[in-house]
Amino acid sequence: MTDKKIAVVTGSSSGIGLGTVKLLAEKGYAVFVTYFKDKDWGEKAVKEITEKGGEATLAQVDVMSEESVKKLFDLVNKKYGKLDVLVNDAAVDYATPIETGKFEDWAIITRTKIDGNFLCTKYALPLLKKSKQGNVIIIASSMGDRPDPTDPAYSVGTAGTICFMKAMALALAKYNIRTNAIGPGETRTNNKFWKDMGDTDEMWAGFAKSNPMGRVCTPKDVAQTVLTIIEDKTNFWNGNMIYVNGGGHLK
């Protein structure tokens, strides 16, 4: 068994998850890079981490599938026998206005968020209990508080994950496992939602101009916040929604 701390980050072949898994590996964590469909991206991420001296394992997971999630944590158990950090980042997002949105889109978006958090936390728990200071971190957004009328599915899914975080903060504290959530602002990644909106430099400049701090969020911002939470020396942060958006949630 390794002396390193072990971290699983779902949805970590790209975007915020990739930024997070890279930083954790850089800081000495043995990490699991997970992907759903984009194996090439996952392999690239593992290669980048290992070439810099980090320790990374690639794993495919469908967070909506109980069997797939069980298989992931069976792998973690077989390889390390423990887990210190679970970052639930996997998400799908694209516009779902009520007039034209399809139920299958609604189901995928909400289930990825809500069911994914439930399943990953459930099957990670036996391993997290073996950690002296376990952490569950959920990547959410301010849309759980301020819903987007053009994107009700992600808004509802996010609200569900925030409620789940609060429930787990109460349920898991007795195992010395802390549960917190992070709410990034607009973060330029390659997800379908931004592509549907155009994903232009002008669009992102507009987001930056409207932000109180004059810029948009980056995957590195979120990754650094994850690291700050799990390495909190008080070991007392629990049940918090931490906004990483320059104050954008106050507008």
Side-chain angles (χ1 to χ4, degrees), residues 25 30 34 57 61 70-71 77 86 89-90 125 129 144 157 189 199-200 203 220:
T34 73
T57 302
V61 64
K70 287 171 67 176
K71 184 178 179 181
N77 184 44
L86 170 65
D89 174 62
L125 184 54
K129 287 180 180 179
T189 61
D199 197 16
T200 63
M203 180 184 82
K220 189 174 181 179

Side-chain angles (χ1 to χ4, degrees), residues 8-11 34 61-66 69-70 72-73 83 85-92 107-126 128 135-141 153-169 171-172 177-184 240-241:
V8 169
V9 183
T10 64
T34 73
V61 64
D62 175 0
V63 299
M64 295 186 292
S65 163
E66 186 170 18
V69 172
K70 287 171 67 176
L72 167 63
F73 290 103
L83 180 65
V85 178
L86 170 65
V87 181
N88 287 328
D89 174 62
V92 178
I108 291 171
I109 293 168
T110 56
R111 286 195 61 214
T112 301
K113 294 292 287 183
I114 298 174
D115 295 359
N117 271 275
F118 170 79
L119 288 171
C120 289
T121 305
K122 176 179 177 63
Y123 287 104
L125 184 54
L128 287 167
N135 277 272
V136 176
I137 299 176
I138 295 169
I139 307 302
S141 84
Y154 196 81
S155 301
V156 170
T158 298
T161 63
I162 294 171
C163 184
F164 180 76
M165 175 274 291
K166 294 176 181 178
M168 291 304 99
L172 305 185
I177 298 169
R178 297 182 292 119
T179 310
N180 293 282
I182 297 173
N240 299 291
M241 175 66 174

Side-chain angles (χ1 to χ4, degrees), residues 28-49:
Y29 288 73
V31 300
F32 282 80
V33 176
T34 73
Y35 70 95
F36 177 32
K37 294 181 178 179
D38 299 306
K39 185 177 181 180
D40 290 347
W41 292 357
E43 290 175 339
K44 180 181 178 182
V46 168
K47 183 179 179 182
E48 289 177 0
I49 290 169

Side-chain angles (χ1 to χ4, degrees), residues 5-249:
K5 291 185 176 180
I6 314 302
V8 169
V9 183
T10 64
S12 50
S13 62
S14 64
I16 288 172
L18 177 59
T20 300
V21 84
K22 281 184 175 180
L23 181 61
L24 292 180
E26 180 184 320
K27 297 299 181 179
Y29 288 73
V31 300
F32 282 80
V33 176
T34 73
Y35 70 95
F36 177 32
K37 294 181 178 179
D38 299 306
K39 185 177 181 180
D40 290 347
W41 292 357
E43 290 175 339
K44 180 181 178 182
V46 168
K47 183 179 179 182
E48 289 177 0
I49 290 169
T50 55
E51 285 180 345
K52 292 182 179 180
E55 187 172 343
T57 302
L58 183 65
Q60 193 276 340
V61 64
D62 175 0
V63 299
M64 295 186 292
S65 163
E66 186 170 18
E67 286 304 312
S68 181
V69 172
K70 287 171 67 176
K71 184 178 179 181
L72 167 63
F73 290 103
D74 283 346
L75 175 63
V76 178
N77 184 44
K78 183 178 180 180
K79 186 158 188 176
Y80 296 110
K82 65 173 184 175
L83 180 65
D84 298 283
V85 178
L86 170 65
V87 181
N88 287 328
D89 174 62
V92 178
D93 188 19
Y94 33 93
T96 54
I98 194 65
E99 294 91 349
T100 58
K102 298 178 181 179
F103 176 68
E104 53 263 39
D105 292 340
W106 167 277
I108 291 171
I109 293 168
T110 56
R111 286 195 61 214
T112 301
K113 294 292 287 183
I114 298 174
D115 295 359
N117 271 275
F118 170 79
L119 288 171
C120 289
T121 305
K122 176 179 177 63
Y123 287 104
L125 184 54
L127 294 169
L128 287 167
K129 287 180 180 179
K130 298 179 181 181
S131 176
K132 293 180 180 179
Q133 296 183 357
N135 277 272
V136 176
I137 299 176
I138 295 169
I139 307 302
S141 84
S142 61
M143 286 168 61
D145 300 316
R146 300 175 62 226
D148 182 345
T150 69
D151 195 8
Y154 196 81
S155 301
V156 170
T158 298
T161 63
I162 294 171
C163 184
F164 180 76
M165 175 274 291
K166 294 176 181 178
M168 291 304 99
L170 295 171
L172 305 185
K174 62 187 176 185
Y175 305 118
N176 202 30
I177 298 169
R178 297 182 292 119
T179 310
N180 293 282
I182 297 173
E186 290 90 355
T187 308
R188 194 168 189 174
T189 61
N190 57 348
N191 71 32
K192 188 176 185 299
F193 183 77
W194 298 130
K195 290 178 181 178
D196 288 347
M197 290 184 64
D199 197 16
T200 63
D201 291 340
E202 291 76 15
M203 180 184 82
W204 288 97
F207 286 147
K209 186 176 181 180
S210 66
N211 186 278
M213 298 293 290
R215 70 174 180 87
V216 297
C217 184
T218 69
K220 189 174 181 179
D221 292 330
V222 183
Q224 186 60 58
T225 305
V226 168
L227 188 66
T228 299
I229 293 170
I230 62 182
E231 297 195 345
D232 164 42
K233 292 182 180 179
T234 71
N235 196 34
F236 209 51
W237 296 3
N238 190 37
N240 299 291
M241 175 66 174
I242 301 166
Y243 292 102
V244 185
N245 61 10
H249 64 290

